[in-house]
Amino acid sequence: MSQFSQTQLKEFKTNVAGSVILPDDPQYDEVRQIWNAMIDRRPSMIVRCISAADVVHSLRFIHQHDLSFSIRGGGHNIAGNAVCDAGLMIDLSLMKGVHIDPERQHGFVEPGCTLADFDAAAQAYGLATPLGINSTTGVAGLTLGGGFGWLSRKYGMTIDNLLSMEVITADGQELHASESENADLFWGLRGGGGNFGIVTRFEYQLHPVGPNVLCGLIVFPFDQAKAVITQFARFTETMPDELNVWMITRQAPPLPFLPEEVHGKEIVALAMCYAGDPAEGETHIAPLREFGTAYGEHIGIQPYTDWQQAFDPLLTPGARNYWKTHNFSTLDEGPIDAIIEYASALPSSQCEIFIATIGGQTRRALPEAMAYSNRDANYVLNVHARWETAAEDVHCIAWAREFFARSQPFASSGAYINFLTGDESDRVAFAYGTSYERLAKLKKKFDPANIFRVNQNIRPA
Ligand SMILES: Cc1cc2nc3c(=O)[nH]c(=O)nc-3n(C[C@H](O)[C@H](O)[C@H](O)COP(=O)(O)OP(=O)(O)OC[C@H]3O[C@@H](n4cnc5c(N)ncnc54)[C@H](O)[C@@H]3O)c2cc1C
C-alpha cells in the first residue's frame, strides 16, 4: 500500500459524506467483522459510504494511491471477500434505501440492504422477488452471484428478475446497465459477482406474493434418511413450480414442536414454501407426510416475511464456517448414500448438509442469456461445516472436504459462485462453465488492470 499524507487523508475525509474508519478508531473492530468468524482481516482504512458519490471518491483515492480494496455489501460471503488485509474496504452496508413502485411492481434497492430490508419494503405492497433463505444476507452479493430461494421455482433466480443497475466502473464512470443500455455489462453483472464494478442501485421486477404463505417443516428420524431423501428426490422432479422443498440433515435444534428427547439427535428435515393459494398448497404438500413416520411438523399459513427469517437463529454471525458445494441435475442413489454416510458423522452439533431445490423457472432461461449459466441444475448441495472454536477447525474442514470429494462423481456441471470458499479460486472457471471465456473478455474491456480482484476472480482475457 502506497503512502498518503495527512493532508491527502484529510481532504479525502472532507469529500466523503459517510465516515472513514482507521485502525485506531473505537468502531474499527466491529465494522471490519463479517458473518464468517474464520475471516479476521485488517484493512488499513474502511470507508462507510452513504452515497454513490462516496464510492466515486473512494475509487479515485484508490487510484491515486494505488491501493488494493474490497467491497462489502451484507458481509455474508463465505469466502470473506468483503474485507481485505492492508487495503481499503468500501463498506456499502449503510446504503439502505429501498423504493417500491407498486404500479409497475418494480423495486429499487441500494447495496447495503439485507434481504429483510427488501422483503419488508416490498411486502408492504404484497410484493416480493426471489431472494435467499437467511434474512440477514446482503441483497447485493446474493444478486451479483445469481440468487435463489423459496420463490425461485416460480419466478426464477434473483438475476432473472433484475431489470437494471447503476454501476461505477473501474475508471470511475457511473453507468446504467440494462438489456438496452450497456447490455454487455448487464450480461456480466448477472452472475459475475463484484468483477466489473460497484453497483450502487439495483432495480428488480416484483411479483404478488402472500402476504401469508403456506410453509413450514417436517422432521423425520435419521434412521429413515434413505427412504425420506429418495422420495424427496423423486417428488421434487415433478412438483409444481409454486412449491419448493429443501432437504436438511443435521442435529435437531431445540424446536418447540419436537419432543425434548429428540433435541440434539440426527434428523432429516424437509422445509417447504408454497408460493400460491394456501389451500391448493395443502393438497400438494400432503404426500410429503407419507415419506416416513415424522418426529413432528410445524406447517401453517404465516407471513412470508416471517418464513424468510425462520432459519436466522441457526445462521447467526460469529461462528466459524466452511462450505463446499456441488450442483446436481438429478439425485440418485450415489449422492444420497454419500449424504447419509457423512451426516452420520457430523463433526460438530451445528454442521449440516442441505439440498436447495431450484429447477422450475430457474431452468427456463438460456445458459448464454447471462453470466450465470448453470441452467441444468435442479439441486444445489451445500455441506455447511459450522463450529465455535479454532481447535475444531481441522476436523470440521476435513469432514466438509471429504464429503465434497465423495459426492463429486455424481455432480453436474458448474457450481454456485456464491457458495465457493476462499480456497477455491481454481474452481471459478468451472463454476461459470460456458460463460467463462466471454466473462474474461468482458473483464478485459471493463477492468483490464483487474482492480476488482478481491472476489471470486475472473482474470482479464
Ligand atoms: C447464512 C447464509 C445463507 C445463505 N443463503 C443463501 C440462499 O438462500 N440463496 C443464495 O442464493 N445465497 C445464499 N447465501 C449466499 C449469499 O448469496 C452470498 O454469501 C452473498 O455473497 C452474500 O452477499 P453479501 O452482500 O451479504 O456479501 P458480501 O460478503 O458483502 O459481498 C460478497 C461479494 O460480493 C461483491 N459485492 C457485494 N456488494 C457489491 C456491490 N454493491 N457491487 C459490486 N460488488 C459487490 C464483492 O465482491 C463481495 O466480496 C447465503 C449465505 C449465508 C452466509
Side-chain angles (χ1 to χ4, degrees), residues 427-439:
R427 286 190 88 208
V428 172
F430 172 79
Y432 283 115
T434 50
S435 288
Y436 191 74
E437 211 175 306
R438 185 170 167 193
L439 280 165

Side-chain angles (χ1 to χ4, degrees), residues 106 158-167 175-191 203-205 365-372 375 438:
H106 288 189
T158 307
I159 41 174
D160 297 336
N161 294 279
L162 196 56
L163 298 171
S164 75
M165 284 173 266
E166 302 294 337
V167 196
L175 299 181
H176 185 76
S178 69
E179 286 287 6
S180 56
E181 233 178 305
N182 298 300
D184 55 352
L185 180 61
F186 189 55
W187 180 92
L189 286 165
R190 284 176 294 165
E203 180 187 6
Y204 299 90
Q205 180 66 57
L366 293 173
E368 60 273 24
M370 54 192 87
Y372 173 87
R375 298 295 176 172
R438 185 170 167 193

Side-chain angles (χ1 to χ4, degrees), residues 218-221 224 227-228 231 270 287-295:
I218 310 181
V219 177
F220 295 96
Q224 297 172 25
V228 171
Q231 291 174 88
L270 300 179
L288 299 171
R289 297 193 172 97
E290 310 304 318
F291 286 5
T293 309
Y295 276 140

Side-chain angles (χ1 to χ4, degrees), residues 35 71-78 81-82 92 111 132-134 137-138 140-142 144 147-148 194 197-199 246 315 323 416 418-419 454-455:
W35 179 79
I71 309 163
R72 182 203 154 111
H76 263 48
N77 197 273
I78 188 70
N81 289 322
L92 304 169
I133 59 102
N134 168 222
T137 308
L142 177 128
L144 291 166
F148 57 79
I198 305 179
V199 180
W246 290 19
L315 299 167
W323 293 0
Y416 184 40
N418 270 343
F419 283 0
V454 182
N455 49 33

Side-chain angles (χ1 to χ4, degrees), residues 113-141:
C113 287
T114 61
L115 310 194
D117 298 326
F118 185 12
D119 278 334
Q123 278 288 281
Y125 299 94
L127 300 170
T129 208
L131 299 170
I133 59 102
N134 168 222
S135 80
T136 56
T137 308
V139 171

Side-chain angles (χ1 to χ4, degrees), residues 273-315:
C273 181
Y274 190 79
D277 173 15
E280 275 173 25
E282 280 289 359
T283 319
H284 290 297
I285 67 163
L288 299 171
R289 297 193 172 97
E290 310 304 318
F291 286 5
T293 309
Y295 276 140
E297 68 166 61
H298 184 72
I299 297 177
I301 299 170
Q302 59 169 310
Y304 172 70
T305 47
D306 286 0
W307 182 239
Q308 282 289 84
Q309 297 173 33
F311 294 91
D312 290 1
L314 296 177
L315 299 167

